Amino acid sequence: MEGQSNESATITTRASSRSRLQSMSAFWIAILIGAALRIYCLVFTNGTGDLDDWEDHAQQVHDRGLIGYYHANSFANHPPFISKVGALILQIATVTHIPFRILFRAPFALLDAGNALLLFSLLPANRWRFLATACYWLCPAAILISAYHGNTDTAVAFFLLLTVWLATKQRILSSGAAFGASLWVKLPGILALPALLILFRRWRFRALFLLAVAVTALSTYLPALIQDYKIVYANVFGYRGLILQTANGVPLWGPSVLLFSTVAPIQAWPEKYLRPALFFLEHSWSIAIAAILLLCWLRRNRAAHLEVCATIGMVYAILFGFSDYWAFQYFAWGLPFWFFLRWWFSIPAVSLTSIYLYLLHWTFCGNGLLLGRWDFLEHPILPVLVLTIRNLAVSFFLVSACLFLIFSMRRARTLVSDLELT
């Protein structure tokens, strides 16, 4: 009997080892495929119109100087540091004869590898984190935004994940410096600040964190602010995004999609209903900010890093659900954080954003392999399939945003009731 028991244990151990080996092999195959797809996008595709804009930004910063370019173009909304980095990349491209489109996108593809690594490090130490990391790395939305699109939004998620990871190591000043560095590249990371402060339970630690944020951020803004603080404030801090529409006025995202593209055309709305609807759309950004602050307040006692990452994921879901101000690459801000949320949100969110972005990119470049030239203006009418996925995605984020707020309110009310009973 003892011999049979030992033999059974040996067989079980071998089966477990074989299963583990197969899982690890599948994981590394996924990593190699994701890397190959990013290299393909970097080397063979032209990217979107944003990449052409960035090349022009870089040339203008080189020719006019940073402040001169801010004055010459009101759409020059990128922070001083990344604007100068763009100009430097253009100079390197000129000297090396490596196309700007490759050199500019390569750092952000590498940062996306950092996103995958940090996601793996922050997820619970079980087999599911291998699956979640592989899913993120193979996610079409992450691949398109980091290696195809040609913008800097991948860096937002990277620095936010790095901020959380450093905070889990009790490295408060380094954590603050990481968050401050995110503001060198793009400002939307600031939306996650209320959630990040939940990580630190003492006000002294929060003060140290904010001090590190301020010192790090100002280190690259200060020279430009000294030269001309008014133009820096107007162009960089005053930028609020755009409502993206096709040449025929077809909205690509936001509550206006549901109100005027699915409920009824704008001309069919009675005046008494149209006015409040337009008021909501006009102030959708402010409403989203208010909802984000409310969510962070309701979840202020959920300080574990997994909960804070989930809160950040909800923050950006609320922004996308309530605001009309949107662009293709904005999904990068919240995408890795959605893997910390429940399956009912994370799976549809990642799937819908990936399908929608891929179909949009296919439509505007005219090629399923993304090898065509990006031409936004030549596609004023979107295919029915794209419109259907758009409507599903917008509806999903709007409903999810409301559910996050409702669930957080109910949980907060339950906690208050429990405290009163004790």
Side-chain angles (χ1 to χ4, degrees):
M1 292 293 292
E2 184 177 349
Q4 290 179 347
S5 177
N6 290 336
E7 184 179 352
S8 177
T10 301
I11 294 172
T12 302
T13 302
R14 287 177 179 174
S16 177
S17 299
R18 190 180 302 112
S19 176
R20 191 159 47 245
L21 181 62
Q22 290 173 346
S23 298
M24 290 304 299
S25 297
F27 174 76
W28 286 111
I29 290 171
I31 296 301
L32 289 174
I33 292 172
L37 290 171
R38 284 166 173 79
I39 292 171
Y40 168 82
C41 289
L42 284 175
V43 176
F44 297 106
T45 67
N46 295 310
T48 71
D50 281 10
L51 195 54
D52 295 330
D53 290 342
W54 261 107
E55 189 166 3
D56 180 62
H57 292 332
Q59 188 64 59
Q60 293 296 325
V61 170
H62 177 267
D63 295 342
R64 299 173 182 268
L66 179 65
I67 299 300
Y69 180 49
Y70 280 157
H71 279 284
N73 187 350
S74 61
F75 289 102
N77 53 66
H78 302 287
F81 174 82
I82 196 63
S83 297
K84 292 183 178 181
V85 168
L88 177 62
I89 291 174
L90 181 62
Q91 290 178 288
I92 295 172
T94 302
V95 172
T96 62
H97 301 290
I98 300 174
F100 178 85
R101 61 181 175 82
I102 295 177
L103 288 180
F104 185 81
R105 292 183 294 185
F108 299 101
L110 288 174
L111 285 181
D112 205 34
N115 285 340
L117 180 60
L118 288 167
L119 178 63
F120 181 84
S121 300
L122 289 168
L123 286 168
N126 57 42
R127 61 176 181 169
W128 295 112
R129 72 173 177 174
F130 288 93
L131 178 61
T133 303
C135 287
Y136 173 80
W137 187 240
L138 290 175
C139 171
I143 295 170
L144 288 170
I145 295 170
S146 66
Y148 174 85
H149 192 94
N151 216 313
T152 61
D153 298 76
T154 300
V156 174
F158 172 79
F159 283 110
L160 291 179
L161 287 166
L162 182 60
T163 299
V164 176
W165 183 80
L166 289 168
T168 63
K169 306 298 180 182
Q170 304 302 314
R171 297 163 64 178
I172 299 172
L173 293 178
S174 297
S175 179
F179 184 78
S182 76
L183 305 180
W184 296 354
V185 182
K186 210 158 192 175
L187 298 182
I190 202 73
L191 296 172
L193 181 58
L196 290 171
L197 290 176
I198 299 171
L199 283 167
F200 309 104
R201 304 310 293 165
R202 297 182 182 179
W203 282 104
R204 182 171 69 88
F205 294 157
R206 291 173 181 170
L208 287 173
F209 174 81
L210 291 173
L211 177 63
V213 170
V215 170
T216 304
L218 284 175
S219 66
T220 60
Y221 280 91
L222 199 56
L225 288 170
I226 291 173
Q227 291 180 67
D228 193 335
Y229 70 90
K230 290 183 179 179
I231 193 64
V232 174
Y233 178 82
N235 281 37
V236 180
F237 298 109
Y239 181 70
R240 291 293 179 271
L242 299 172
I243 299 176
L244 200 57
Q245 299 178 336
T246 68
N248 274 17
V250 178
L252 296 185
W253 191 263
S256 58
V257 166
L258 302 180
L259 294 177
F260 302 137
S261 295
T262 58
V263 175
I266 188 170
Q267 60 270 19
W269 279 62
E271 180 66 25
K272 63 178 180 178
Y273 298 125
L274 181 60
R275 187 170 299 175
L278 292 177
F279 178 87
F280 169 76
L281 294 177
E282 183 181 353
H283 296 89
S284 63
W285 180 267
S286 300
I287 293 170
I289 298 297
I292 287 169
L293 292 174
L294 174 61
L295 176 84
C296 292
W297 173 255
L298 292 170
R299 292 176 58 87
R300 64 190 182 278
N301 293 318
R302 309 184 77 167
H305 78 273
L306 295 176
E307 292 287 357
V308 170
C309 287
T311 302
I312 294 172
M314 294 178 195
V315 161
Y316 289 111
I318 288 174
L319 180 70
F320 302 143
F322 286 175
S323 178
D324 252 15
Y325 295 85
W326 177 88
F328 305 90
Q329 70 277 14
Y330 288 1
F331 286 135
W333 308 342
L335 186 57
F337 293 98
W338 295 340
F339 287 87
F340 294 92
L341 292 165
R342 297 291 183 86
W343 67 268
W344 65 263
F345 176 81
S346 58
I347 294 176
V350 173
S351 301
L352 286 170
T353 53
S354 292
I355 295 169
Y356 185 45
L357 285 185
Y358 177 68
L359 290 176
L360 279 177
H361 285 70
W362 184 344
T363 299
F364 291 127
C365 77
N367 187 289
L369 296 176
L370 306 181
L371 295 174
R373 186 74 181 175
W374 180 269
D375 199 338
F376 185 83
L377 296 178
E378 285 300 314
H379 297 85
I381 304 297
L382 297 177
V384 174
L385 177 60
V386 177
L387 292 174
T388 301
I389 298 299
R390 178 204 64 179
N391 294 346
L392 286 173
V394 172
S395 301
F396 175 77
F397 275 94
L398 179 60
V399 171
S400 297
C402 295
L403 289 175
F404 287 144
L405 290 168
I406 292 170
F407 293 159
S408 297
M409 288 178 186
R410 289 177 60 183
R411 181 177 176 84
R413 190 181 301 117
T414 301
L415 289 174
V416 171
S417 300
D418 291 344
L419 289 172
E420 289 176 349
L421 289 173
T422 56

